[in-house]
Amino acid sequence: AQLFRIAIMHRMTDTYGPIPYSKVIEDSSESLTVAYDSQETVYMKMFEELDAVIAALHANEQMSAEAFRKSDNVYYGDIKKWIKYANSLKLRIAMRLSYIKPDIAQAKAEEAVTDGVILDNADNAYMHAPENRMALIYNDWGDHRVGADIISYMNGYKDPRRAVMFTQGTWNKKTDYYGMRIGTDPTNKSAMVSTYSNQIVDSKSPYLWMNAAEVTFLRAEGALRGWAMQGDAKDLYETAIRLSFEERGVTGADTYLTDAVSTPQKYTDPMGNYSMQAPASTITIAWEADDTDAVRERNLERIITQKWIAIFPLGIEAWSEYRRTGYPRLLPAVENKSAGTVNVKYGARRIPYPSEEYTENPVHLQEAISMLNGRDNAGTRVWWDVKSLE
């Protein structure tokens, strides 16, 4: 339960910044008007709690899986796999601090890798629910379509994973992978549903929590930064891509890895409304060997871009890593509807607090907003979001 709480609240603090965290547990009255913690306090508390979780799991790792197999729809009672997941979550959380607290980030990341993280697809964290409700949203309601950004990258790379990740759409009798720009204003829903690509998902699909590819990309980034990640950056980067291809059940990883020519495709809107003159990035796939600042930064862009593809559809994680690193480079929203609080080139940096907090918890909310330099808007950067945007 503690592990789940950390995983869930990690998403919450990355979405909002300061959140009620430690005081929620300390308040025995179960009040909904407790004080907020700064995001730094939340992160340090999560590390403390994760270490306690990992220690408790280690103390019981020889327990038979039968003990709670029927209550566990992820690892079916295998505590050793839960240890790998907990350490992988610790690695993910540690990497978030790479620009704001690099010493802590390195120490916690190295601890996680040393103790054992997810290395193979057999240990991927998938939650097998009786029904995947995303199928209802994507297939039955038709309320979502795949974004232009990931389609443009994967089209440009001729990525074979497209066929198992996305449907094809049709426009003017031409069938292809088509993405929809952020900020598109649908005027004809039925036409858009048939034109733009959809995520391939059904009611029996499991929910992805974390996969070996993401963990290996995290290790690749750590190695690029000079951390002890049990492998060098290039080998880990290439291993991560191979793991993603294996997870998706497609071939061609070796050819893909050596492609030093293909770049993201410029976005052409099949419906002719929101096309762009140039792609958001010109980054290629193949690793560059030179050890200069410019090459290391390009290799970082490769790591994050390929991780972004491999973790689809983990939207909050992808958004957080985009904010932390600036990668992958994304198309600007079609229209800026933020009244000037958001730089459309870089997108929203957080989500404003719910209106209920203004009415139900106003005193503590104002304390939280003061931690955000007095601005509760989507353009305000959270604590760890400090990399230069230029």
Side-chain angles (χ1 to χ4, degrees), residues 76-328:
Y76 302 102
D78 190 331
I79 293 178
K80 291 181 179 179
K81 290 190 176 185
W82 279 112
I83 292 170
K84 293 178 184 179
Y85 170 74
N87 278 314
S88 300
L89 180 62
K90 182 177 178 179
L91 174 60
R92 178 195 275 177
I93 292 172
M95 191 59 72
R96 206 75 94 233
L97 307 189
S98 59
Y99 291 98
I100 187 70
K101 293 282 186 181
D103 292 344
I104 293 175
Q106 179 177 356
K108 294 300 181 182
E110 290 178 350
E111 288 173 9
V113 171
T114 298
D115 195 52
V117 294
I118 296 169
L119 303 177
D120 305 303
N121 285 319
D123 294 333
N124 288 350
Y126 275 100
M127 199 271 281
H128 299 263
E131 181 182 2
N132 187 324
R133 303 292 283 183
M134 290 175 66
L136 180 69
I137 298 170
Y138 280 81
N139 301 335
D140 298 348
W141 295 348
D143 283 351
H144 291 69
R145 283 300 177 265
V146 180
D149 296 287
I150 195 166
I151 293 292
S152 295
Y153 274 84
M154 295 181 78
N155 278 350
Y157 293 153
K158 299 175 285 292
D159 197 310
R161 290 171 289 184
R162 289 174 298 174
V164 295
M165 293 170 65
F166 312 125
T167 65
Q168 292 186 315
T170 302
W171 181 254
N172 285 339
K173 299 182 179 180
K174 181 181 179 182
T175 299
D176 205 344
Y177 296 101
Y178 298 121
M180 182 183 291
R181 281 275 302 278
I182 294 292
T184 298
D185 186 11
T187 55
N188 184 331
K189 180 176 178 178
S190 62
M192 301 187 89
V193 165
S194 63
T195 298
Y196 297 103
S197 294
N198 192 16
Q199 178 187 178
I200 295 177
V201 61
D202 62 43
S203 62
K204 299 302 180 184
S205 300
Y207 290 98
L208 173 64
W209 285 5
M210 184 177 289
N211 57 22
E214 177 191 345
V215 177
T216 309
F217 281 122
L218 287 165
R219 292 169 58 209
E221 181 179 349
L224 187 68
R225 296 179 181 279
W227 305 352
M229 294 285 105
Q230 298 182 0
D232 68 34
K234 177 179 183 292
D235 288 346
L236 289 168
Y237 169 76
E238 294 180 348
T239 298
I241 291 176
R242 289 191 178 97
L243 283 166
S244 179
F245 274 58
E246 178 188 88
E247 180 186 12
R248 299 289 185 179
V250 299
T251 59
D254 289 342
T255 300
Y256 186 87
L257 286 167
T258 58
D259 187 346
V261 176
S262 297
T263 58
Q265 185 183 70
K266 77 172 184 178
Y267 178 64
T268 301
D269 185 357
M271 300 184 78
N273 297 318
Y274 303 113
S275 299
M276 294 290 288
Q277 294 301 309
S281 175
T282 58
I283 197 67
T284 55
I285 300 166
W287 189 264
E288 288 187 69
D290 291 344
D291 188 24
T292 65
D293 288 346
V295 169
R296 280 195 297 273
E297 191 65 25
R298 286 199 295 275
N299 282 333
L300 174 63
E301 182 176 357
R302 290 184 172 92
I303 290 170
I304 303 300
T305 298
Q306 291 296 327
K307 179 168 69 172
W308 171 67
I309 293 171
I311 67 174
F312 183 89
L314 298 185
I316 293 178
E317 183 60 24
W319 178 42
S320 295
E321 289 294 79
Y322 166 74
R323 289 177 288 158
R324 178 178 68 90
T325 66
Y327 305 124

Side-chain angles (χ1 to χ4, degrees), residues 336-344 377-379:
N336 189 344
K337 298 184 179 181
S338 72
T341 61
V342 174
N343 183 325
V344 72
N377 60 52

